[in-house]
Amino acid sequence: MQHYTNINELDSLQNTVKEAISLKKNELKFKFLGEGKTICLLFFNNSLRTRLSTQKAAQNLGMNTVVMNFGSEGWQLEFEDGVVMDEDKSEHVIEAAQVVAQYCDIVAIRAFASLTDKEKDRAEIVIESFKKYAGIPVVNMESATGHPLQALADAITMEEFKVLHKPKVVLSWAPHPKALPHAVANSFVEMMQLQDADFVITHPEGYELDPEITKNSKIEYNQNKAFENADFVYVKNWSSFKDYGKVVNKDANWMVTAEKMKLTNNGKFMHCLPVRRNVIVADEVIDSENSIVIQQANNRTYSAQIVLKKILENL
């Protein structure tokens, strides 16, 4: 594997999940792979789990890690071709990516959606520019349209809590006071399309995700109906895709409550974190024994580590 910018770049999701669970039992087994190698973690946006888990994963593989927060530490980068740089941006990605590549063997990037320009966000200009100009492997730590490390961690977690029958998995929208990107939801959908499961997306009308991503996935506008007999309930807010980046509905009735979880098949509650308590989910749900959000967060290390292992093996 050369890059990891989308979960579909894995040769096999199921095999990768099994490898990650095995790696978790002896996380330092492959420490020799990264000796003498360096990874640069470039953050254009804030992070907690992604930064700490990816750094730990790299160190578990023996790599040196360099972390840079572009928002507060780096020059503002220009990404447009042929632009006259006579305004606020001091450096072009053409030079920046090549310079970064001289200092490391792998570069991992976190750069959120603008939520103002749909086509520019869909073009993934930051990730694609580094892939084009850096000439080294690029790992997506959440981009404008995807969060494949989170989706892989979710798959690992679901495997650890798997049921004996074909599972029913629900991705549910929930209210939030701010407009949030589609990245986590998109990658979860893409991951579930690689699984043998009864998968349902539920949200109010107007919150349909990119149809090029959801494809033929089932959509149910009645949240209670969607929750019936669910084994896993993955909850996430996202803004409108059609009315791009807008909050078109703040319906508090979509918050996940204990009453709604009673409709499930003793279902596990999942969320990528951070989460707005008593807005997205009631305390009684996230604090319950069926909440596996902390296990998900822990598996962020092993999703990153198995990805970096595969890339290191091909350097």
Side-chain angles (χ1 to χ4, degrees):
M1 188 165 67
Q2 183 180 4
H3 303 289
Y4 185 64
T5 58
N6 184 287
I7 199 159
N8 289 299
E9 290 172 328
L10 297 174
D11 289 337
S12 165
L13 172 63
Q14 286 71 27
N15 288 343
T16 302
V17 166
K18 290 177 182 176
E19 291 172 32
I21 292 173
S22 176
L23 181 64
K24 189 175 178 179
K25 298 173 183 176
N26 186 0
E27 61 185 22
L28 301 181
K29 181 178 180 180
F30 298 98
K31 195 164 186 176
F32 64 91
L33 278 177
E35 291 178 358
K37 298 290 194 299
T38 298
I39 184 170
C40 288
L41 310 181
L42 305 183
F43 290 91
F44 292 83
N45 297 96
N46 295 340
S47 176
L48 172 61
R49 280 149 294 277
T50 299
R51 173 172 176 170
L52 298 181
S53 63
T54 309
Q55 191 164 358
K56 180 183 177 183
Q59 291 171 346
N60 283 348
L61 292 168
M63 299 189 76
N64 300 311
T65 57
V66 178
V67 180
M68 183 171 184
N69 296 302
F70 255 92
S72 59
E73 298 171 344
W75 302 113
Q76 277 199 297
L77 294 187
E78 178 60 68
F79 292 91
E80 299 292 338
D81 292 333
V83 67
V84 176
M85 293 176 57
D86 60 354
E87 295 188 8
D88 59 336
K89 295 177 181 176
S90 304
E91 183 160 15
H92 203 286
V93 69
I94 294 174
E95 291 80 49
Q98 293 178 79
V99 169
V100 167
Q102 293 180 108
Y103 303 147
C104 60
D105 303 278
I106 301 172
V107 59
I109 299 168
R110 184 175 180 90
F112 292 171
S114 68
L115 292 182
T116 57
D117 188 325
K118 181 190 291 189
E119 294 312 312
K120 188 171 286 188
D121 284 346
R122 293 177 85 187
E124 292 286 11
I125 191 168
V126 179
I127 292 282
E128 292 302 320
S129 293
F130 273 87
K131 285 173 67 175
K132 180 177 180 180
Y133 297 116
I136 59 173
V138 174
V139 174
N140 180 351
M141 296 193 297
E142 187 172 355
S143 65
T145 65
H147 199 345
L149 287 176
Q150 179 67 56
L152 179 53
D154 298 335
I156 294 166
T157 308
M158 291 169 64
E159 176 65 19
E160 291 178 326
F161 289 90
K162 67 181 178 181
V163 293
L164 297 178
H165 55 269
K166 182 178 179 179
K168 179 177 180 181
V169 182
V170 176
L171 171 63
S172 177
W173 179 94
H176 194 284
K178 295 168 58 180
L180 296 186
H182 309 95
V184 171
N186 285 344
S187 287
F188 188 78
V189 170
E190 291 173 329
M191 180 270 289
M192 286 307 307
Q193 289 169 346
L194 301 174
Q195 302 274 33
D196 182 20
D198 177 11
F199 177 53
V200 181
I201 306 170
T202 186
H203 54 72
E205 292 190 33
Y207 278 111
E208 292 78 9
L209 293 162
D210 184 348
E212 293 186 13
I213 290 175
T214 56
K215 299 176 182 176
N216 295 321
S217 294
K218 182 179 178 181
I219 297 174
E220 171 59 62
Y221 296 109
N222 184 320
Q223 189 186 36
N224 285 349
K225 184 177 179 181
F227 275 36
E228 290 176 1
N229 298 315
D231 298 293
F232 297 93
V233 175
Y234 197 105
V235 181
K236 185 71 179 78
N237 174 269
W238 58 86
S239 56
S240 174
F241 179 77
K242 183 178 180 181
D243 193 4
Y244 192 64
K246 304 299 182 185
V247 176
V248 297
N249 185 338
K250 290 185 179 181
D251 189 349
N253 292 320
W254 278 74
M255 182 179 76
V256 177
T257 63
E259 285 301 309
K260 291 178 183 178
M261 292 301 291
K262 287 178 182 177
L263 299 169
T264 71
N265 182 29
N266 197 32
K268 302 297 185 185
F269 173 82
M270 302 180 71
H271 192 282
C272 62
L273 303 182
V275 66
R276 300 265 185 147
R277 284 173 172 258
N278 302 308
V279 175
I280 293 276
V281 58
D283 286 339
E284 59 192 358
V285 174
I286 195 169
D287 292 331
S288 73
E289 291 183 357
N290 279 22
S291 172
I292 55 176
V293 298
I294 302 302
Q295 292 90 332
Q296 281 178 266
N298 185 44
N299 282 330
R300 289 296 307 279
T301 294
Y302 307 104
S303 67
Q305 191 168 340
I306 197 64
V307 164
L308 294 178
K309 175 180 177 289
K310 289 177 177 292
I311 292 174
L312 286 169
E313 288 170 338
N314 286 292
L315 284 182

